[in-house]
Amino acid sequence: MERLIIRGGHVIDPATDIDGEYDVYVVGGRIAALRPAASDTGEVSPDAPGVTLIDARGLLVVPGFIDLHTHLREPGYEYKETIQTGTDAAKAGGFTTILCMANTNPPNDNESVTRHIIKNAENSGIRVLPVGAVTQGLKGEKLSEMAGLKSAGCAAFSDDGAPVVDAGVMRRALEYSRIFDMPVISHAEDPSLVSGGVMNEGVVSTRLGLKGIPNAAEEAMAARDIALAELTGARLHIAHVSARGTVELVRAAKGRGLKVTAEATPHHLTLTDEAVEGYDTNAKMNPPLRTKEDVEALRAGVRDGTIDAIATDHAPHSVIEKDVEFDGAANGIIGLETAFSLIWGLVEEGVFTPGTAIRAMTVNPAKAVSIDGGTLKVGKIADITLIDPARSWKVEPGNLKSKSKNTPWAGAVLKGVVVKTIAGGKIVYGGPGR
Amino acid sequence: MRLKRKDLLGIEDLRADEIELILSTAESFKEVSDREIKKVPTLRGKTIINLFYEPSTRTRTSFEIAAKRMSADAINISASSSSVVKGETLKDTARNLEAMKPDCIVVRHSSSGTPRMLSKYVACSVVNAGDGAHEHPSQALLDMLTVKEKKGRIDGLSIAIVGDIAHSRVARSNIYGFTKLGASVIVAGPPTMMPPGIESLGCRATTDMESAIKGADVVMMLRIQTERQKESFFPTIREYSRLYGLNEERVKRAKDDVIILHPGPINRGVEISPEVADGPYSLILDQVTNGVAVRMAIFYLLLGAAREE
């Protein structure tokens, strides 16, 4: 059997409370053992056949990251991203499992689309778990065939990109999802409160003369969906939380023992609406970048576990959608390749402990959608990411793997480099050498 | 003298001395429009493109006349759809225009920020002729010129701006302009049309029109777009007019020598009663006349004077 030995790295595995220097042994694609570093390493010769030795001294060794929220754009929008380019970006970002949203063309509202996605992702080397649509055609009217979607490999349900506007339909979706014990992911947004808004509503939108989106647009819908989760006993996951009121709502829901989880993106954790100054369309997203108070609330939410997961909302768009007037520009930015470094930047600033950051990118998202993984526990699939926490890199859009280059961090120097991504015991990014 | 800048994108960017320079230059150009031969050769050989993505008669005509009185060649492009609709990037639009070698592009667009984005892509000057709800600098300059002419000063005056503040680029540019020159500005309108944090631009805000115009030296009425009624910004035109319309009774609350401005076009009987619009304190037509002079000054200070250095 193929063996991989990752020697001398600093292992952080929040799920098992391991935080220290260990050698990680991988056999047959699974974690075989963790032993304190520099203990007896003589038993395996580096020259032994079938053994790959990785010198991880000075590196962090963590479970492969899990992203609950990506847009791979295939099928239908291959000019923005393909499963190939999107998974390449994921691997470069240290992700070994990604969930891809259903707003493709055709949308992933039936099992044949799910199968197509999974088949095209087979050679990526990482786990691609499609999210099936809640409603047929993402129209918010009739429920999609959830059993079919599940059997084909979907991990959750969401109409992400648009909310399920009709409360009655959302109620039925949540009720019906209980058959499968799978979460419905809510893109919490009341369209009548968005009403053509293109950025956060506040002092900055007033100054820039751009139509604002109030926090209440998200909070009102999140409150509705939490009430429906309470009514139905279903699992609800709130996507890309941006408003401080939503953090409060989720905290209260968890306090009542509801099956509610939530995620926040690296950009909502690091940027405010002031990034829109100068009308940079790479600062245009939905939900919009909010204020400092919201950012602080999100950070506190990650720290106390109210916000379970950090998810990228990786949203590739071409220049034709981004290099245009602000009002008409598409929402969203790419995020897979910058996510870890941005979060590591917050660790460096003292906002998060390393454990909190890694937890929100590994075991917590795994739990939110019931994936067996996100940990380096013995016996689990060997999804492992190696990081050089001391090295910095410059974001050069041309060098990113994603097909689209819509990032607000072009030219920025970020600390924390993903040096190797291992999925199922195989090195899928970074090559065998140091 | 010149403006040491390539573009005129907004009043927010301007210093008080730059505003003063534009106003005094405009004053000196007013006389040209009263001549028998209304033309000076100052900008001969310069090409100015008026790129209007939004319908406009008054502003476009004013810019065109200003260019022609300075002997520049003015070309009007009425773009019916935005780059988004055309599937063209703004950069492509800009490069195509640039390839025609203009000296200045005057742009009006319904999307805030478009002039700024365009200015990044072209080497020639860009003048903002109104972008979304952001800024309308030439309008504010002509308003300031009109007030300065009548009052002899701007410093220390009380200015009330009444109406749909949220959707008004005229309001924003005037708040910046008048406060930079030392006036105090209060804006009034229904809370549904009052943008959050408008005070951060340097003005005060109220929902009570009568208190806003009390003791005002200048009352500026904004056009109310009747479509806003459909979006429930106010119940009916009648009620809007009752709360925020300017009639003779209300004018009495302002100073005796108050002047009334309106960027036009006027909805007579809605935001302003006919008697007020046509009254002795109304300077609405002076504003239009001054618009040409201000735009001549803008072209001169961006294109003409720069050449002489």
Side-chain angles (χ1 to χ4, degrees):
Chain A
M1 244 189 279
E2 288 283 327
R3 287 177 164 219
L4 184 66
I5 303 167
I6 303 163
R7 185 168 281 174
H10 183 134
V11 174
I12 301 176
D13 182 31
T16 56
D17 271 333
I18 287 174
D19 186 346
E21 286 178 7
Y22 289 86
D23 297 331
V24 182
Y25 292 76
V26 174
V27 179
R30 290 190 176 259
I31 307 286
L34 260 70
R35 296 197 185 142
S39 64
D40 179 19
T41 52
E43 66 177 78
V44 181
S45 159
D47 303 325
V51 171
T52 308
L53 253 181
I54 298 172
D55 176 5
R57 282 173 299 176
L59 302 182
L60 294 179
V61 178
V62 299
F65 301 140
I66 297 171
D67 191 354
L68 295 177
H69 199 139
T70 72
H71 296 271
L72 294 181
R73 304 296 188 210
E74 184 182 338
Y77 303 105
E78 288 84 356
Y79 69 99
K80 300 184 195 223
E81 192 82 287
T82 63
I83 290 168
Q84 164 89 50
T85 57
T87 52
D88 282 350
K91 288 183 271 186
F95 291 91
T96 53
T97 300
I98 57 174
L99 276 69
C100 57
M101 288 298 170
N103 58 344
T104 48
N105 185 20
N108 181 23
D109 64 355
N110 66 79
E111 55 196 293
S112 67
V113 176
T114 308
R115 292 216 167 86
H116 169 89
I117 295 167
I118 288 176
K119 186 166 181 297
N120 280 14
E122 259 168 17
N123 295 327
S124 70
I126 61 169
R127 189 156 43 163
V128 174
L129 299 173
V131 174
V134 173
T135 62
Q136 295 173 32
L138 307 171
K139 289 193 181 122
E141 293 162 4
K142 295 180 191 151
L143 298 189
S144 56
E145 292 184 335
M146 292 188 185
L149 289 165
K150 186 193 176 181
S151 71
C154 285
F157 303 109
S158 183
D159 279 0
D160 182 70
V164 177
V165 176
D166 187 301
V169 172
M170 188 62 167
R171 175 204 172 147
R172 298 300 176 216
L174 285 161
E175 279 175 338
Y176 193 74
S177 72
R178 286 179 50 212
I179 303 172
F180 319 103
D181 191 31
M182 282 162 67
V184 172
I185 302 174
S186 163
H187 169 112
E189 171 186 6
D190 183 327
S192 68
L193 288 172
V194 172
S195 182
V198 295
M199 69 170 294
N200 179 55
E201 180 174 306
V203 173
V204 181
S205 67
T206 291
R207 204 163 67 237
L208 295 179
L210 291 171
K211 177 102 173 62
I213 303 172
N215 282 17
E218 175 178 298
E219 292 156 0
M221 198 56 112
R224 183 203 78 174
D225 286 347
I226 287 168
L228 293 174
E230 188 152 25
L231 173 70
T232 59
R235 291 171 69 181
L236 174 71
H237 178 77
I238 312 245
H240 43 53
V241 174
S242 70
R244 54 192 185 274
T246 310
V247 179
E248 289 301 325
L249 287 162
V250 172
R251 189 174 284 128
K254 288 187 168 186
R256 294 203 298 282
L258 304 185
K259 293 179 204 162
V260 173
T261 54
E263 73 191 28
T265 70
H267 44 277
H268 288 109
L269 286 163
T270 52
L271 297 176
T272 66
D273 59 356
E274 287 178 9
V276 181
E277 301 263 9
Y279 302 93
D280 180 2
T281 57
N282 282 326
K284 184 179 178 187
M285 22 253 189
N286 189 23
L289 298 172
R290 302 284 187 186
T291 64
K292 195 163 167 284
E293 290 72 31
D294 297 293
V295 171
E296 288 303 326
L298 290 178
R299 291 173 173 184
V302 172
R303 280 193 296 264
D304 73 8
T306 301
I307 304 287
D308 301 82
I310 291 165
T312 64
D313 195 6
H314 178 80
H317 289 296
S318 77
V319 288
I320 206 74
E321 286 119 2
K322 277 296 197 182
D323 255 2
V324 295
E325 300 89 312
F326 196 89
D327 284 339
N331 286 311
I333 54 168
I334 55 171
L336 285 165
E337 292 167 84
T338 48
F340 172 76
S341 302
L342 291 168
I343 298 306
W344 194 250
L346 295 180
V347 171
E348 293 268 326
E349 284 176 38
V351 174
F352 301 140
T353 63
T356 297
I358 302 301
R359 183 186 296 276
M361 295 183 75
T362 57
V363 65
N364 278 5
K367 282 183 189 159
V369 290
S370 305
I371 298 167
D372 183 26
T375 171
L376 301 178
K377 202 172 162 195
V378 171
K380 296 291 178 187
I381 291 171
D383 288 348
I384 307 167
T385 296
L386 272 57
I387 289 149
D388 188 337
R391 217 168 88 206
S392 296
W393 64 294
K394 189 172 176 188
V395 183
E396 306 268 18
N399 294 340
L400 296 175
K401 309 278 185 200
S402 181
K403 197 167 194 174
S404 291
K405 311 298 178 191
N406 50 316
T407 173
W409 286 284
V413 176
L414 305 178
K415 202 165 179 190
V417 176
V418 172
V419 293
K420 240 179 257 302
T421 307
I422 297 161
K426 292 199 164 55
I427 299 169
V428 293
Y429 172 78
R434 175 67 198 250
Chain B
M1 292 276 267
R2 56 173 287 203
L3 280 175
K4 290 185 174 56
R5 52 176 73 238
K6 175 170 97 69
D7 312 304
L8 179 64
L9 301 176
I11 304 291
E12 186 184 9
D13 310 328
L14 295 180
R15 295 187 314 270
D17 64 293
E18 291 178 297
I19 297 171
E20 300 274 17
L21 173 62
I22 297 170
L23 297 184
S24 61
T25 307
E27 277 169 349
S28 70
F29 278 129
K30 273 195 82 168
E31 163 271 328
V32 174
S33 296
D34 293 329
R35 291 183 194 174
E36 186 73 22
I37 310 273
K38 301 180 182 61
K39 222 175 179 62
V40 290
T42 317
L43 295 183
R44 199 170 53 205
K46 297 284 184 185
T47 304
I48 294 168
I49 295 179
N50 286 325
L51 175 64
F52 276 59
Y53 284 92
E54 250 188 2
S56 157
T57 308
R58 185 180 323 235
T59 305
R60 188 187 56 69
T61 307
S62 183
F63 270 110
E64 185 178 354
I65 288 175
K68 288 183 169 161
R69 290 199 177 149
M70 303 291 282
S71 299
D73 297 306
I75 289 95
N76 295 317
I77 303 177
S78 295
S80 54
S81 55
S82 69
S83 74
V84 179
V85 178
K86 285 184 214 153
E88 182 179 72
T89 66
L90 204 60
K91 201 178 195 169
D92 288 332
T93 306
R95 278 179 174 162
N96 275 281
L97 291 170
E98 180 100 312
M100 295 181 231
K101 311 287 180 198
D103 298 282
C104 180
I105 298 171
V106 177
V107 60
R108 164 168 289 194
H109 203 291
S110 60
S111 179
S112 299
T114 306
R116 185 173 298 275
M117 294 163 99
L118 194 66
S119 75
K120 284 185 207 154
Y121 296 127
V122 296
C124 72
S125 291
V126 173
V127 173
N128 180 3
D131 63 328
H134 177 228
E135 284 231 39
H136 193 347
S138 63
Q139 176 71 42
L141 289 162
L142 74 87
D143 289 337
M144 287 185 271
L145 179 62
T146 307
V147 170
K148 198 178 164 204
E149 269 180 359
K150 286 289 159 182
K151 297 286 181 189
R153 67 190 168 107
I154 287 174
D155 186 37
L157 297 180
S158 293
I159 318 282
I161 305 177
V162 182
D164 181 358
I165 309 298
H167 302 95
S168 178
R169 52 198 176 209
V170 174
R172 284 172 178 76
S173 288
N174 270 310
I175 293 167
Y176 289 127
F178 278 104
T179 54
K180 282 182 190 208
L181 295 192
S184 79
V185 177
I186 183 162
V187 297
T192 48
M193 298 197 292
M194 192 65 78
I198 188 72
E199 297 89 346
S200 68
L201 273 63
C203 61
R204 287 172 297 135
T206 176
T207 57
D208 178 15
M209 180 193 186
E210 307 218 338
S211 73
I213 61 175
K214 193 173 175 216
D217 296 289
V218 178
V219 176
M220 183 182 300
M221 299 304 296
L222 300 175
R223 176 183 168 77
I224 188 75
Q225 290 183 295
T226 48
E227 307 90 272
R228 301 288 178 214
Q229 185 195 334
K230 293 191 201 102
E231 302 163 56
S232 286
F233 285 97
F234 52 87
T236 58
I237 295 286
R238 184 172 65 178
E239 180 146 309
Y240 179 83
S241 186
R242 178 176 172 169
L243 287 173
Y244 298 102
L246 187 63
N247 51 35
E248 286 187 304
E249 195 54 40
R250 284 188 172 138
V251 170
K252 286 179 193 156
R253 294 178 164 268
K255 289 225 175 90
D256 291 341
D257 61 346
V258 66
I259 58 176
I260 311 294
L261 303 179
H262 191 301
I266 298 176
N267 292 308
R268 282 172 185 268
V270 180
E271 70 267 0
I272 191 164
S273 72
E275 310 83 68
V276 175
D278 299 328
Y281 28 64
S282 169
L283 297 181
I284 295 169
L285 294 177
D286 300 61
Q287 289 175 274
V288 179
T289 304
N290 282 339
V292 174
V294 153
R295 289 165 181 129
M296 289 169 78
I298 291 168
F299 288 142
Y300 174 73
L301 292 168
L302 288 177
L303 309 180
R307 188 181 51 182
E308 289 162 15
E309 292 227 341

